[in-house]
Amino acid sequence: FGIKNKSYVNGEIIEENKKGYIILVKVEDNEYIFSLPFHGKHMIYNFLAAFTVYYLCNNIDKSNIENDIKSKIRKYKSPRRRKEEIILENDNIIIDDYAHHPKEIEMIYEAVKQKYSNYNITIVFQPHTYSRTIYLNKEFKDVLKDKEVYIMKTFISREDYDLLKESVVKEIFINHKEYDVNVIKEILKKENQIILCLGAGDIHNEIKKWHNKCKL
């Protein structure tokens, strides 16, 4: 499967908007049109992967495949910590996502921009392990450049705390600001603000603090 190529299942974006995508799917001699309430092109690939497996199942009724899949799309619920949105009283938004790899960060940021083009996006990022962060330091620098970013202390996960490695991580993100809960609270008092929380650690504990402080 793929987008605009010679794959067995071929997807083509007909329209991209704030609600998601309208795509044309071609497989064998058949064509189907779907409205996807998802944001970010990675979600189109996810959909095409699921569609391909579904289509190849021998016991499905291919004459009703379009209506059947549309029904399933309407019932779809994303997993926890995948673009989970918390709407605040002043219509500002906190978005929590598990993204902790540079490519994931790039995809979720573009997805949020697609849906909320008139919002200012501030990223709160919690690096996950010294080894990954240091190894992918160039990729992290590239994906976060020219963005408003606050960096939390590294979530060390399976690794041991290492002051030297923590200082190396700080150097990687030297062009960004150190996380401060009070600064985030001040940002959320403004209008048209999104706080995009990224990381595979315990960043959700900080979101709970914002809940309490912002009187959600």
Side-chain angles (χ1 to χ4, degrees):
F1 63 90
I3 298 176
K4 281 191 175 181
N5 57 27
K6 296 181 180 180
S7 300
Y8 176 69
V9 174
N10 178 254
E12 179 180 343
I13 300 171
I14 298 175
E15 182 181 335
E16 176 181 332
N17 53 54
K18 290 184 178 181
K19 293 183 179 180
Y21 299 94
I22 298 175
I23 69 167
L24 171 68
V25 178
K26 298 178 182 179
V27 53
E28 297 179 336
D29 295 324
N30 303 310
E31 293 186 356
Y32 308 98
I33 292 180
F34 299 102
S35 179
L36 304 182
F38 313 129
H39 301 89
K41 290 183 180 177
H42 62 293
M43 291 300 293
I44 297 179
Y45 284 105
N46 288 343
F47 170 79
L48 291 174
F51 176 94
T52 302
V53 173
Y54 184 79
Y55 189 88
L56 292 174
C57 290
N58 294 323
N59 60 342
I60 66 167
D61 178 8
K62 286 187 170 59
S63 65
N64 194 44
I65 192 171
E66 190 165 357
N67 290 331
D68 195 19
I69 289 180
K70 285 179 179 178
S71 173
K72 288 175 168 57
I73 290 173
R74 286 193 292 269
K75 298 175 183 177
Y76 173 79
K77 291 184 179 180
S78 61
R80 282 190 66 249
R81 299 213 63 227
R82 282 303 184 190
K83 204 168 167 287
E84 281 191 293
E85 297 187 3
I86 304 167
I87 310 296
L88 307 187
E89 289 179 353
N90 57 1
D91 290 331
N92 286 339
I93 305 168
I94 297 171
I95 298 178
D96 183 22
D97 195 272
Y98 190 76
H100 55 288
H101 183 282
K103 194 63 179 178
E104 285 182 303
I105 293 172
E106 178 185 7
M107 291 188 296
I108 185 61
Y109 186 83
E110 292 303 318
V112 172
K113 280 206 320 182
Q114 178 188 350
K115 185 176 181 180
Y116 296 107
S117 57
N118 60 328
Y119 274 69
N120 178 64
I121 303 172
T122 299
I123 295 174
V124 176
F125 176 54
Q126 183 182 44
H128 188 267
T129 71
Y130 300 126
S131 54
R132 177 187 290 108
T133 307
I134 294 171
Y135 181 75
L136 297 174
N137 73 88
K138 183 181 183 302
E139 289 85 347
F140 278 115
K141 289 176 181 177
D142 288 344
V143 76
L144 293 177
K145 67 182 180 182
D146 303 324
K147 296 178 177 65
E148 183 76 7
V149 183
Y150 289 86
I151 302 296
M152 295 178 63
K153 184 178 177 181
T154 304
F155 187 83
I156 59 176
S157 185
R158 58 189 177 274
E159 299 175 339
D160 295 324
Y161 177 73
D162 189 312
L163 183 60
L164 178 59
K165 290 181 179 178
E166 186 68 41
S167 66
V168 173
V169 170
K170 285 188 176 181
E171 283 298 314
I172 293 172
F173 301 112
I174 192 69
N175 293 324
H176 304 296
K177 301 166 188 173
E178 190 172 342
Y179 170 75
D180 184 327
V181 64
N182 294 312
V183 172
I184 302 302
K185 282 159 45 184
E186 289 302 313
I187 291 174
L188 290 173
K189 290 179 181 178
K190 304 174 185 177
E191 295 181 350
N192 296 328
Q193 302 296 317
I194 288 177
I195 303 295
L196 178 56
C197 306
L198 306 176
D202 58 0
I203 191 172
H204 56 278
N205 291 332
E206 293 303 308
I207 296 174
K208 290 178 183 178
K209 292 180 184 179
W210 305 341
H211 267 266
N212 296 331
K213 301 292 184 181
C214 297
K215 299 180 180 179
L216 303 185

